[in-house]
Coordinates of all heavy atoms in Angstrom, one line a residue:
L16 N -5.2 -7.0 -1.1 CA -5.6 -7.7 -2.3 C -6.4 -6.7 -3.1 O -6.2 -6.6 -4.4 CB -6.4 -8.9 -2.0 CG -6.8 -9.8 -3.3 CD1 -5.5 -10.2 -3.9 CD2 -7.6 -11.0 -2.8
L17 N -7.3 -5.9 -2.6 CA -8.1 -4.9 -3.3 C -7.2 -3.9 -4.0 O -7.5 -3.4 -5.1 CB -9.2 -4.4 -2.4 CG -10.2 -3.4 -3.1 CD1 -11.0 -4.2 -4.1 CD2 -11.1 -2.8 -2.1
N18 N -6.2 -3.5 -3.4 CA -5.2 -2.5 -3.9 C -4.7 -2.9 -5.2 O -4.3 -2.2 -6.1 CB -4.1 -2.2 -2.9 CG -3.4 -1.0 -3.2 OD1 -4.0 -0.1 -3.9 ND2 -2.2 -0.8 -2.8
L19 N -4.4 -4.2 -5.5 CA -3.9 -4.7 -6.6 C -4.9 -4.7 -7.8 O -4.6 -4.7 -8.9 CB -3.3 -6.1 -6.4 CG -2.1 -6.2 -5.4 CD1 -1.7 -7.7 -5.2 CD2 -0.9 -5.4 -5.9
V20 N -6.2 -4.9 -7.5 CA -7.2 -4.8 -8.4 C -7.8 -3.4 -8.7 O -8.0 -3.0 -9.8 CB -8.4 -5.7 -7.9 CG1 -9.5 -5.7 -9.0 CG2 -7.9 -7.2 -7.7
V21 N -7.9 -2.6 -7.7 CA -8.4 -1.2 -7.8 C -7.2 -0.3 -7.4 O -7.0 0.0 -6.2 CB -9.6 -0.9 -6.9 CG1 -10.1 0.5 -7.1 CG2 -10.7 -2.0 -7.2
P22 N -6.3 0.1 -8.3 CA -5.1 0.8 -7.9 C -5.4 2.3 -7.5 O -4.4 2.8 -6.8 CB -4.3 0.8 -9.2 CG -5.2 0.6 -10.3 CD -6.4 -0.2 -9.7
S23 N -6.5 2.8 -7.7 CA -6.7 4.2 -7.3 C -7.1 4.3 -5.8 O -8.0 3.6 -5.4 CB -7.8 4.9 -8.1 OG -8.2 6.0 -7.6
G24 N -6.3 5.1 -5.1 CA -6.6 5.1 -3.6 C -7.9 5.7 -3.3 O -8.6 5.3 -2.3
G25 N -8.4 6.7 -4.0 CA -9.6 7.3 -3.7 C -10.8 6.4 -4.0 O -11.7 6.3 -3.1
S26 N -10.8 5.7 -5.1 CA -12.0 4.8 -5.4 C -11.9 3.6 -4.5 O -13.0 3.1 -4.1 CB -11.9 4.4 -6.9 OG -10.7 3.7 -7.1
K27 N -10.8 3.1 -4.1 CA -10.7 2.0 -3.2 C -11.2 2.4 -1.8 O -11.9 1.7 -1.1 CB -9.2 1.5 -3.1 CG -9.2 0.2 -2.3 CD -7.8 -0.4 -2.5 CE -6.7 0.3 -1.7 NZ -6.7 0.0 -0.2
F28 N -10.9 3.6 -1.4 CA -11.3 4.1 -0.1 C -12.9 4.2 0.0 O -13.5 3.9 1.0 CB -10.6 5.3 0.4 CG -11.0 5.8 1.7 CD1 -10.5 5.1 2.8 CD2 -11.8 6.8 2.0 CE1 -10.8 5.4 4.1 CE2 -12.2 7.2 3.3 CZ -11.6 6.5 4.4
I29 N -13.4 4.7 -1.1 CA -14.9 4.8 -1.2 C -15.6 3.4 -1.0 O -16.6 3.2 -0.4 CB -15.4 5.4 -2.6 CG1 -15.0 6.9 -2.5 CG2 -16.8 5.2 -2.8 CD1 -15.3 7.5 -3.9
I30 N -14.9 2.4 -1.5 CA -15.5 1.0 -1.4 C -15.4 0.5 0.1 O -16.2 -0.1 0.7 CB -14.7 0.0 -2.2 CG1 -14.9 0.3 -3.7 CG2 -15.1 -1.5 -2.0 CD1 -14.1 -0.4 -4.7
E31 N -14.2 0.8 0.8 CA -13.9 0.3 2.1 C -14.4 1.3 3.2 O -14.4 0.8 4.4 CB -12.5 0.0 2.2 CG -12.0 -1.1 1.3 CD -10.6 -1.4 1.3 OE1 -9.8 -0.5 1.7 OE2 -10.1 -2.5 0.9
A32 N -14.6 2.5 2.9 CA -14.8 3.5 4.0 C -16.0 3.2 4.9 O -15.9 3.3 6.2 CB -15.0 4.9 3.4
P33 N -17.1 2.7 4.3 CA -18.2 2.4 5.3 C -17.9 1.3 6.3 O -18.2 1.4 7.5 CB -19.3 1.9 4.3 CG -19.0 2.4 3.0 CD -17.5 2.6 2.9
Y34 N -17.2 0.3 5.9 CA -16.7 -0.8 6.8 C -15.7 -0.2 7.9 O -15.8 -0.5 9.1 CB -16.1 -1.9 6.1 CG -17.0 -2.4 5.0 CD1 -16.7 -2.2 3.7 CD2 -18.2 -3.2 5.3 CE1 -17.5 -2.7 2.6 CE2 -19.0 -3.6 4.3 CZ -18.6 -3.4 3.0 OH -19.5 -3.9 2.0
I35 N -14.8 0.6 7.4 CA -13.9 1.1 8.4 C -14.4 2.0 9.4 O -14.2 1.9 10.6 CB -12.7 1.9 7.5 CG1 -11.9 0.9 6.7 CG2 -11.8 2.6 8.5 CD1 -11.0 1.5 5.8
M36 N -15.3 2.9 8.9 CA -16.0 3.9 9.9 C -16.8 3.1 10.9 O -16.9 3.5 12.1 CB -16.8 4.8 9.2 CG -16.0 5.7 8.2 SD -14.7 6.6 9.0 CE -13.9 7.4 7.7
E37 N -17.6 2.1 10.5 CA -18.4 1.3 11.3 C -17.6 0.6 12.4 O -18.0 0.6 13.6 CB -19.2 0.3 10.6 CG -20.3 -0.4 11.4 CD -21.1 -1.4 10.6 OE1 -21.2 -1.2 9.3 OE2 -21.6 -2.4 11.1
V38 N -16.5 0.0 12.0 CA -15.7 -0.7 13.0 C -15.1 0.2 13.9 O -15.0 0.0 15.1 CB -14.6 -1.5 12.3 CG1 -13.5 -2.0 13.2 CG2 -15.2 -2.7 11.4
C39 N -14.6 1.4 13.5 CA -14.0 2.5 14.4 C -15.1 2.9 15.4 O -14.7 3.0 16.6 CB -13.6 3.7 13.6 SG -12.1 3.4 12.6
T40 N -16.3 3.1 15.1 CA -17.3 3.5 16.1 C -17.7 2.4 17.0 O -17.9 2.7 18.2 CB -18.6 4.1 15.3 OG1 -19.0 3.1 14.4 CG2 -18.2 5.4 14.6
E41 N -17.7 1.2 16.5 CA -18.1 0.0 17.4 C -17.0 -0.3 18.4 O -17.3 -0.6 19.5 CB -18.4 -1.2 16.5 CG -19.7 -1.1 15.8 CD -20.0 -2.4 15.1 OE1 -19.3 -3.5 15.3 OE2 -20.9 -2.4 14.2
L42 N -15.8 -0.2 18.0 CA -14.7 -0.5 18.9 C -14.1 0.7 19.6 O -13.2 0.6 20.4 CB -13.5 -1.1 18.1 CG -13.7 -2.4 17.3 CD1 -12.6 -2.9 16.6 CD2 -14.2 -3.5 18.3
D43 N -14.8 1.9 19.4 CA -14.4 3.1 20.0 C -12.9 3.4 19.9 O -12.1 3.7 20.9 CB -14.7 3.1 21.6 CG -14.7 4.5 22.2 OD1 -14.8 5.5 21.4 OD2 -14.3 4.6 23.4
V44 N -12.5 3.3 18.6 CA -11.0 3.6 18.3 C -11.0 4.8 17.5 O -11.9 5.2 16.8 CB -10.5 2.4 17.4 CG1 -9.0 2.6 16.9 CG2 -10.6 1.1 18.1
S45 N -9.9 5.6 17.6 CA -9.7 6.9 16.9 C -9.7 6.6 15.4 O -9.0 5.9 14.9 CB -8.4 7.5 17.3 OG -8.0 8.6 16.5
I46 N -10.6 7.3 14.8 CA -10.8 7.2 13.3 C -9.5 7.7 12.6 O -9.1 7.1 11.7 CB -12.0 7.9 12.8 CG1 -13.3 7.2 13.3 CG2 -12.0 8.0 11.2 CD1 -14.5 7.9 13.0
A47 N -8.9 8.7 13.1 CA -7.7 9.3 12.5 C -6.5 8.2 12.6 O -5.8 8.0 11.6 CB -7.3 10.6 13.3
R48 N -6.4 7.5 13.7 CA -5.4 6.5 13.8 C -5.6 5.3 12.8 O -4.7 4.9 12.2 CB -5.3 6.0 15.2 CG -4.2 5.0 15.5 CD -3.6 5.2 16.8 NE -2.6 4.2 17.2 CZ -1.3 4.3 16.9 NH1 -0.9 5.5 16.5 NH2 -0.5 3.4 17.2
I49 N -6.8 4.9 12.7 CA -7.2 3.8 11.8 C -6.9 4.3 10.3 O -6.4 3.5 9.5 CB -8.6 3.4 12.0 CG1 -8.8 2.7 13.3 CG2 -9.1 2.3 10.9 CD1 -7.9 1.6 13.7
I50 N -7.3 5.4 10.0 CA -7.1 5.9 8.6 C -5.6 6.1 8.3 O -5.1 5.8 7.2 CB -7.8 7.3 8.5 CG1 -9.3 7.2 8.6 CG2 -7.4 7.9 7.1 CD1 -10.0 6.3 7.5
D51 N -4.8 6.5 9.3 CA -3.4 6.5 9.2 C -2.8 5.2 8.9 O -1.9 4.9 8.0 CB -2.8 7.1 10.4 CG -1.3 7.5 10.2 OD1 -1.0 7.9 9.0 OD2 -0.6 7.6 11.1
A52 N -3.2 4.1 9.7 CA -2.8 2.8 9.5 C -3.3 2.3 8.1 O -2.5 1.6 7.4 CB -3.3 1.9 10.5
Y53 N -4.5 2.6 7.7 CA -5.0 2.2 6.4 C -4.2 2.8 5.3 O -3.8 2.1 4.3 CB -6.5 2.7 6.3 CG -7.0 2.5 5.0 CD1 -7.6 1.3 4.6 CD2 -7.1 3.5 4.0 CE1 -8.2 1.1 3.3 CE2 -7.6 3.3 2.8 CZ -8.2 2.1 2.5 OH -8.8 1.9 1.2
N54 N -3.8 4.0 5.4 CA -3.0 4.7 4.3 C -1.6 4.1 4.3 O -1.1 3.9 3.2 CB -2.9 6.1 4.6 CG -4.2 6.9 4.2 OD1 -4.9 6.5 3.4 ND2 -4.5 8.0 4.9
F55 N -1.0 3.7 5.4 CA 0.3 3.1 5.4 C 0.2 1.8 4.6 O 1.0 1.5 3.8 CB 0.7 2.9 6.9 CG 2.0 1.9 6.9 CD1 3.2 2.4 6.6 CD2 1.8 0.6 7.3 CE1 4.4 1.7 6.6 CE2 2.9 -0.2 7.3 CZ 4.2 0.3 7.0
A56 N -0.8 0.9 5.0 CA -0.9 -0.3 4.3 C -1.2 -0.2 2.8 O -0.6 -0.9 2.0 CB -2.0 -1.2 4.9
D57 N -2.0 0.8 2.5 CA -2.3 1.1 1.0 C -1.1 1.5 0.3 O -0.7 1.1 -0.8 CB -3.4 2.2 1.0 CG -3.7 2.5 -0.5 OD1 -3.9 1.5 -1.3 OD2 -3.9 3.7 -0.8
L58 N -0.3 2.4 0.8 CA 0.9 2.9 0.2 C 2.0 1.9 0.1 O 2.7 1.8 -0.8 CB 1.5 4.1 0.9 CG 0.6 5.3 0.8 CD1 1.1 6.5 1.6 CD2 0.4 5.8 -0.7
N59 N 2.0 1.0 1.2 CA 3.0 -0.1 1.2 C 2.7 -1.1 0.2 O 3.7 -1.6 -0.5 CB 3.1 -0.7 2.6 CG 4.4 -1.4 2.8 OD1 5.4 -1.1 2.4 ND2 4.4 -2.4 3.6
T60 N 1.5 -1.5 -0.1 CA 1.2 -2.4 -1.1 C 1.5 -1.8 -2.5 O 1.6 -2.6 -3.5 CB -0.2 -3.0 -1.0 OG1 -1.1 -1.9 -1.1 CG2 -0.4 -3.8 0.2
N61 N 1.5 -0.5 -2.6 CA 1.7 0.1 -3.9 C 3.2 -0.1 -4.4 O 3.5 0.0 -5.5 CB 1.5 1.7 -3.9 CG 0.1 2.0 -4.0 OD1 -0.8 1.2 -4.3 ND2 -0.3 3.1 -3.5
I62 N 4.0 -0.4 -3.4 CA 5.5 -0.7 -3.7 C 5.6 -2.0 -4.6 O 6.4 -2.0 -5.5 CB 6.3 -0.9 -2.4 CG1 6.3 0.4 -1.7 CG2 7.7 -1.3 -2.7 CD1 6.9 0.3 -0.3
I63 N 4.7 -3.0 -4.3 CA 4.9 -4.2 -5.1 C 4.1 -4.4 -6.3 O 4.1 -5.4 -6.9 CB 4.6 -5.4 -4.1 CG1 3.2 -5.4 -3.6 CG2 5.6 -5.5 -3.0 CD1 2.7 -6.5 -2.8
Q64 N 3.4 -3.3 -6.7 CA 2.7 -3.3 -8.0 C 3.4 -2.5 -9.1 O 3.9 -1.5 -8.7 CB 1.3 -3.0 -7.9 CG 1.0 -1.5 -7.4 CD -0.5 -1.3 -7.4 OE1 -1.3 -1.9 -8.1 NE2 -0.9 -0.4 -6.6
P65 N 3.4 -2.9 -10.3 CA 4.2 -2.1 -11.3 C 3.6 -0.7 -11.7 O 4.4 0.0 -12.4 CB 4.2 -3.1 -12.5 CG 2.9 -3.8 -12.3 CD 2.6 -4.0 -10.9
F66 N 2.4 -0.3 -11.4 CA 1.9 0.9 -11.9 C 2.7 2.1 -11.5 O 2.8 3.1 -12.3 CB 0.5 1.1 -11.4 CG -0.5 0.0 -11.8 CD1 -1.1 -0.8 -10.9 CD2 -0.8 -0.2 -13.2 CE1 -1.9 -1.9 -11.3 CE2 -1.5 -1.2 -13.6 CZ -2.2 -2.1 -12.6
W67 N 3.4 2.2 -10.3 CA 4.1 3.3 -9.9 C 5.3 3.6 -10.8 O 5.8 4.7 -10.9 CB 4.5 3.2 -8.4 CG 5.4 2.1 -8.1 CD1 5.0 0.8 -7.8 CD2 6.8 2.0 -8.2 NE1 6.1 0.0 -7.6 CE2 7.2 0.8 -8.0 CE3 7.8 3.0 -8.6 CZ2 8.5 0.3 -7.9 CZ3 9.1 2.5 -8.6 CH2 9.5 1.2 -8.3
G68 N 5.9 2.5 -11.3 CA 7.1 2.7 -12.0 C 7.1 2.6 -13.5 O 8.1 2.4 -14.2
L69 N 6.0 2.6 -14.1 CA 5.9 2.5 -15.6 C 6.7 3.5 -16.4 O 7.5 3.1 -17.2 CB 4.4 2.4 -16.1 CG 3.6 1.2 -15.6 CD1 2.2 1.4 -16.2 CD2 4.2 0.0 -16.2
A70 N 6.6 4.7 -16.0 CA 7.4 5.8 -16.7 C 8.8 5.6 -16.4 O 9.7 5.8 -17.3 CB 6.9 7.2 -16.2
F71 N 9.2 5.3 -15.1 CA 10.6 5.1 -14.7 C 11.2 3.9 -15.5 O 12.2 4.0 -16.0 CB 10.6 4.8 -13.2 CG 11.9 4.4 -12.7 CD1 12.9 5.5 -12.5 CD2 12.2 3.1 -12.3 CE1 14.1 5.1 -12.0 CE2 13.5 2.8 -11.8 CZ 14.5 3.8 -11.7
L72 N 10.4 2.8 -15.6 CA 10.9 1.7 -16.3 C 11.1 2.0 -17.8 O 12.1 1.5 -18.4 CB 10.0 0.5 -16.1 CG 9.8 0.0 -14.7 CD1 8.7 -1.1 -14.6 CD2 11.1 -0.6 -14.2
A73 N 10.2 2.7 -18.4 CA 10.3 3.0 -19.8 C 11.5 4.0 -20.1 O 12.2 3.9 -21.0 CB 9.0 3.6 -20.3
M74 N 11.6 4.9 -19.1 CA 12.7 5.9 -19.3 C 14.1 5.3 -19.3 O 14.9 5.6 -20.1 CB 12.5 7.0 -18.2 CG 13.4 8.2 -18.4 SD 13.1 9.6 -17.2 CE 13.1 8.7 -15.6
F75 N 14.3 4.3 -18.4 CA 15.7 3.7 -18.2 C 15.7 2.4 -19.0 O 16.7 1.7 -18.9 CB 15.9 3.5 -16.8 CG 16.1 4.9 -16.1 CD1 15.2 5.3 -15.3 CD2 17.3 5.5 -16.3 CE1 15.5 6.6 -14.6 CE2 17.6 6.7 -15.7 CZ 16.6 7.3 -14.8
R76 N 14.6 2.0 -19.7 CA 14.6 0.8 -20.5 C 15.0 -0.5 -19.7 O 15.9 -1.2 -20.1 CB 15.4 0.9 -21.8 CG 14.9 1.9 -22.7 CD 15.5 1.9 -24.0 NE 14.9 2.8 -24.9 CZ 15.5 3.8 -25.6 NH1 16.8 4.0 -25.5 NH2 14.8 4.6 -26.3
I77 N 14.3 -0.6 -18.5 CA 14.6 -1.8 -17.8 C 13.3 -2.5 -17.6 O 12.1 -2.0 -17.7 CB 15.2 -1.6 -16.4 CG1 14.4 -0.5 -15.7 CG2 16.7 -1.0 -16.6 CD1 14.9 -0.2 -14.2
D78 N 13.4 -3.8 -17.3 CA 12.1 -4.7 -17.0 C 11.8 -4.5 -15.5 O 12.6 -4.4 -14.7 CB 12.4 -6.0 -17.4 CG 12.5 -6.2 -18.8 OD1 11.9 -5.6 -19.6 OD2 13.2 -7.2 -19.2
F79 N 10.5 -4.7 -15.2 CA 10.1 -4.7 -13.8 C 10.7 -5.8 -13.0 O 11.0 -5.6 -11.8 CB 8.6 -4.8 -13.8 CG 8.0 -4.7 -12.3 CD1 8.1 -3.4 -11.7 CD2 7.5 -5.7 -11.7 CE1 7.6 -3.2 -10.5 CE2 7.0 -5.6 -10.4 CZ 7.1 -4.3 -9.8
K80 N 11.0 -6.9 -13.7 CA 11.6 -8.1 -13.0 C 12.9 -7.7 -12.5 O 13.5 -8.4 -11.6 CB 11.6 -9.3 -13.9 CG 12.5 -9.3 -15.0 CD 12.4 -10.5 -15.9 CE 13.2 -10.2 -17.2 NZ 13.0 -11.3 -18.1
Q81 N 13.6 -6.7 -13.0 CA 14.9 -6.3 -12.5 C 14.8 -5.5 -11.2 O 15.8 -5.5 -10.5 CB 15.6 -5.5 -13.6 CG 16.0 -6.3 -14.8 CD 16.7 -5.4 -15.9 OE1 16.0 -4.5 -16.4 NE2 17.8 -5.6 -16.2
I82 N 13.8 -4.9 -10.9 CA 13.6 -4.1 -9.7 C 12.8 -4.7 -8.7 O 12.7 -4.2 -7.6 CB 13.2 -2.6 -10.0 CG1 11.8 -2.6 -10.6 CG2 14.1 -1.9 -10.9 CD1 11.1 -1.2 -10.7
I83 N 12.0 -5.8 -9.0 CA 11.1 -6.4 -8.1 C 11.8 -6.9 -6.8 O 11.3 -6.7 -5.7 CB 10.3 -7.5 -8.7 CG1 9.1 -7.9 -7.8 CG2 11.1 -8.7 -9.0 CD1 8.1 -6.8 -7.5
P84 N 13.1 -7.4 -6.9 CA 13.7 -7.8 -5.6 C 13.9 -6.6 -4.6 O 13.7 -6.7 -3.4 CB 15.1 -8.4 -6.0 CG 14.9 -8.7 -7.5 CD 13.9 -7.8 -8.0
Y85 N 14.3 -5.4 -5.2 CA 14.5 -4.2 -4.4 C 13.1 -3.8 -3.8 O 13.0 -3.4 -2.6 CB 15.1 -3.1 -5.2 CG 16.4 -3.5 -5.7 CD1 16.6 -3.8 -7.1 CD2 17.5 -3.7 -4.9 CE1 17.8 -4.2 -7.6 CE2 18.7 -4.1 -5.4 CZ 18.9 -4.4 -6.7 OH 20.1 -4.7 -7.3
A86 N 12.1 -3.8 -4.7 CA 10.8 -3.4 -4.2 C 10.3 -4.3 -3.1 O 9.6 -3.9 -2.1 CB 9.8 -3.4 -5.3
L87 N 10.5 -5.6 -3.3 CA 10.0 -6.6 -2.3 C 10.8 -6.4 -1.0 O 10.2 -6.5 0.2 CB 10.1 -8.0 -2.7 CG 9.1 -8.5 -3.7 CD1 9.5 -9.9 -4.2 CD2 7.8 -8.4 -3.1
A88 N 12.1 -6.1 -1.0 CA 12.9 -5.8 0.2 C 12.3 -4.6 0.9 O 12.2 -4.6 2.1 CB 14.4 -5.6 -0.1
V89 N 12.0 -3.5 0.2 CA 11.4 -2.3 0.9 C 10.1 -2.7 1.5 O 9.7 -2.3 2.6 CB 11.3 -1.2 -0.1 CG1 10.5 0.0 0.4 CG2 12.7 -0.8 -0.6
F90 N 9.3 -3.4 0.8 CA 7.9 -3.9 1.2 C 8.1 -4.7 2.6 O 7.4 -4.4 3.5 CB 7.2 -4.7 0.2 CG 5.9 -5.3 0.6 CD1 4.8 -4.5 0.7 CD2 5.9 -6.7 1.0 CE1 3.6 -5.2 1.1 CE2 4.7 -7.2 1.4 CZ 3.5 -6.5 1.5
I91 N 9.0 -5.6 2.5 CA 9.2 -6.5 3.7 C 9.7 -5.6 4.9 O 9.2 -5.8 6.1 CB 10.1 -7.7 3.4 CG1 9.3 -8.6 2.5 CG2 10.5 -8.4 4.7 CD1 10.2 -9.7 1.9
F92 N 10.6 -4.7 4.6 CA 11.2 -3.9 5.7 C 10.0 -3.0 6.2 O 9.9 -2.9 7.5 CB 12.3 -3.0 5.1 CG 12.8 -2.0 6.2 CD1 13.7 -2.4 7.1 CD2 12.3 -0.7 6.1 CE1 14.2 -1.4 8.0 CE2 12.7 0.3 7.0 CZ 13.7 -0.1 8.0
N93 N 9.2 -2.4 5.4 CA 8.2 -1.6 5.9 C 7.1 -2.4 6.7 O 6.7 -1.9 7.8 CB 7.4 -0.9 4.8 CG 8.2 0.2 4.1 OD1 9.1 0.8 4.7 ND2 7.8 0.6 3.0
M94 N 6.8 -3.6 6.3 CA 5.9 -4.4 7.0 C 6.4 -4.8 8.4 O 5.7 -4.9 9.4 CB 5.3 -5.5 6.2 CG 4.5 -5.1 5.1 SD 3.1 -4.1 5.5 CE 2.0 -5.2 6.3
L95 N 7.6 -5.2 8.4 CA 8.2 -5.8 9.6 C 8.5 -4.7 10.6 O 8.4 -4.9 11.9 CB 9.5 -6.6 9.3 CG 9.1 -7.9 8.6 CD1 10.6 -8.6 8.3 CD2 8.3 -8.8 9.4
F96 N 9.1 -3.6 10.2 CA 9.7 -2.6 11.2 C 8.8 -1.4 11.3 O 8.5 -1.0 12.5 CB 11.1 -2.2 10.7 CG 12.1 -3.4 10.8 CD1 12.5 -3.9 9.6 CD2 12.5 -3.9 12.0 CE1 13.3 -5.0 9.6 CE2 13.3 -5.0 12.0 CZ 13.8 -5.6 10.8
I97 N 8.4 -0.8 10.2 CA 7.5 0.3 10.4 C 6.1 0.0 10.7 O 5.5 0.7 11.4 CB 7.7 1.2 9.0 CG1 9.1 1.6 8.9 CG2 6.8 2.4 9.2 CD1 9.4 2.3 7.6
G98 N 5.6 -1.2 10.2 CA 4.2 -1.6 10.4 C 3.9 -1.7 11.9 O 2.8 -1.5 12.4
F99 N 4.9 -2.1 12.7 CA 4.7 -2.3 14.1 C 4.4 -1.0 14.8 O 4.0 -1.0 15.9 CB 5.9 -3.1 14.8 CG 6.0 -4.5 14.4 CD1 7.0 -5.1 13.8 CD2 4.9 -5.3 14.8 CE1 7.0 -6.5 13.5 CE2 4.9 -6.7 14.5 CZ 6.0 -7.2 13.9
L100 N 4.8 0.1 14.3 CA 4.5 1.4 14.9 C 2.9 1.7 15.0 O 2.6 2.5 15.8 CB 5.2 2.5 14.1 CG 6.7 2.4 14.2 CD1 7.3 3.6 13.3 CD2 7.3 2.5 15.6
Y101 N 2.2 1.0 14.1 CA 0.8 1.2 14.1 C 0.1 0.2 14.9 O -0.9 0.4 15.3 CB 0.3 1.2 12.6 CG 0.8 2.4 11.8 CD1 1.8 2.2 10.9 CD2 0.2 3.6 11.9 CE1 2.3 3.3 10.2 CE2 0.6 4.6 11.1 CZ 1.7 4.5 10.3 OH 2.1 5.5 9.5

C-alpha cells in the first residue's frame, strides 16, 4: 500500500528500513534474504501502478485501462509462482 503512495523505492525504504532491520535482528533472519524479498514485493507492486508506463502510454497513444489486464496478469503470476520462492 505504501508503494502506491510513495512511488520512489529509495524514500520508501528509508521509511521502512528501521522496522525491517529490527525484525531481522530479533528473528535472527538473514538481512540479505529479507531485503531481497522486500525488493521483489516492491518491484512487483510497481507493475500495477501507472507511473512506470507513462512515457510508453504517451508514445503509443493508448490508455492505461488497455494494458491493466496484462499488468494484473503479470502481477498475479509473480505473486503466485515466483513469490513462493522467497
Side-chain angles (χ1 to χ4, degrees):
L16 185 61
L17 185 63
N18 194 26
L19 298 175
V20 179
V21 183
S23 173
S26 59
K27 189 167 79 72
F28 187 72
I29 289 173
I30 295 169
E31 295 175 338
Y34 306 108
I35 293 171
M36 299 302 175
E37 183 178 338
V38 168
C39 289
T40 54
E41 285 183 16
L42 296 177
D43 194 30
V44 178
S45 169
I46 293 175
R48 183 144 175 95
I49 296 299
I50 296 297
D51 194 26
Y53 173 85
N54 285 332
F55 169 77
D57 180 43
L58 293 174
N59 200 29
T60 56
N61 284 339
I62 294 171
I63 59 172
Q64 65 176 332
F66 298 116
W67 61 267
L69 291 178
F71 175 78
L72 298 173
M74 186 170 55
F75 291 104
R76 294 189 174 130
I77 57 176
D78 291 328
F79 186 69
K80 65 183 175 186
Q81 292 175 298
I82 63 168
I83 194 66
Y85 303 106
L87 285 175
V89 170
F90 173 77
I91 291 169
F92 174 81
N93 283 345
M94 290 306 287
L95 290 177
F96 296 107
I97 299 173
F99 284 119
L100 298 175
Y101 291 100

